[in-house]
Amino acid sequence: MTSLTPGSWTLDAAHSDIGLKVRHAGISTVRATFAEAEGTLSVGEDGALDVEAVVDPASFDSKNPDRDAHVRSADFLDVETYPEATFRTGQFRAEGEEFEVTGELTLHGVTKPVTFDVEFGGQAVDPFGATRAGLSATTTVSRKDFGLTWNAALEAGGVLVSDKVTLTLDVAFVLNAS
């Protein structure tokens, strides 16, 4: 079980990084983040965790405006049609300060189960009296599972964008006052 204080926690988006990485042209890795996200974390007295998160796919940022516009388009995330990506927990399995959280990820209008490997970073009271906690999590998903199939063949063989995408979260939560 984690050492998190039981209660309701709110995602501190200003101190969180929600991102992804994907192989590009089979030779390099492109990284991107989503700047807009909201989330809650509920911790039961028994240490059980419940997470609900919403990410705005239009906030996709890979530090390349042309690529960002393409990823936001109907070829990929289609942010006009699918303005939210969501995650809701279903179960968790703990081993010390590391655990797995399995839940339903909805992306591009498709909902699939995913399991995040999570590491608890700790809990502390900041200089302003707020109780904060940090978590890091990763999972790898198939773009095709979510209907994200756009690609381009490469002259040397292979494709431009890998099917496998690693989702990475380094997130901070603040305990709500009771």
Side-chain angles (χ1 to χ4, degrees):
M1 301 290 173
T2 68
S3 302
L4 279 168
T5 298
S8 177
W9 298 73
T10 300
L11 179 72
D12 179 1
H15 294 98
S16 297
D17 184 49
I18 299 168
L20 62 83
K21 62 182 183 176
V22 63
R23 297 289 289 169
H24 178 261
I27 59 171
S28 65
T29 300
V30 170
R31 290 175 171 75
T33 59
F34 295 92
E36 301 294 327
E38 298 177 353
T40 58
L41 169 66
S42 298
V43 180
E45 292 294 332
D46 61 355
L49 303 175
D50 184 37
V51 177
E52 290 192 18
V54 177
V55 172
D56 178 359
S59 70
F60 178 89
D61 181 11
S62 69
K63 298 183 176 41
N64 181 304
D66 291 337
R67 177 176 46 226
D68 295 349
H70 187 207
V71 170
R72 291 180 192 125
S73 79
D75 283 346
F76 287 98
L77 297 176
D78 194 2
V79 301
E80 295 295 321
T81 305
Y82 307 106
E84 292 184 341
T86 62
F87 178 78
R88 288 183 175 74
T89 53
Q91 62 181 351
F92 80 101
R93 186 183 65 76
E95 250 181 63
E97 299 302 300
E98 295 183 10
F99 50 99
E100 291 180 344
V101 173
T102 300
E104 299 290 323
L105 175 64
T106 301
L107 176 63
H108 198 248
V110 177
T111 302
K112 296 283 184 181
V114 298
T115 299
F116 282 91
D117 293 321
V118 182
E119 181 180 344
F120 177 55
Q123 176 179 312
V125 176
D126 71 17
F128 308 102
T131 301
R132 298 178 166 278
L135 303 163
S136 296
T138 61
T139 192
T140 300
V141 298
S142 163
R143 291 188 310 119
K144 292 176 188 170
D145 285 351
F146 293 92
L148 300 168
T149 59
W150 183 92
N151 227 326
L154 298 174
E155 185 177 304
V159 291
L160 188 61
V161 183
S162 170
D163 177 51
K164 298 297 179 191
V165 178
T166 301
L167 304 176
T168 59
L169 298 94
D170 289 298
V171 294
F173 286 89
V174 178
L175 182 63
N176 298 326
S178 40

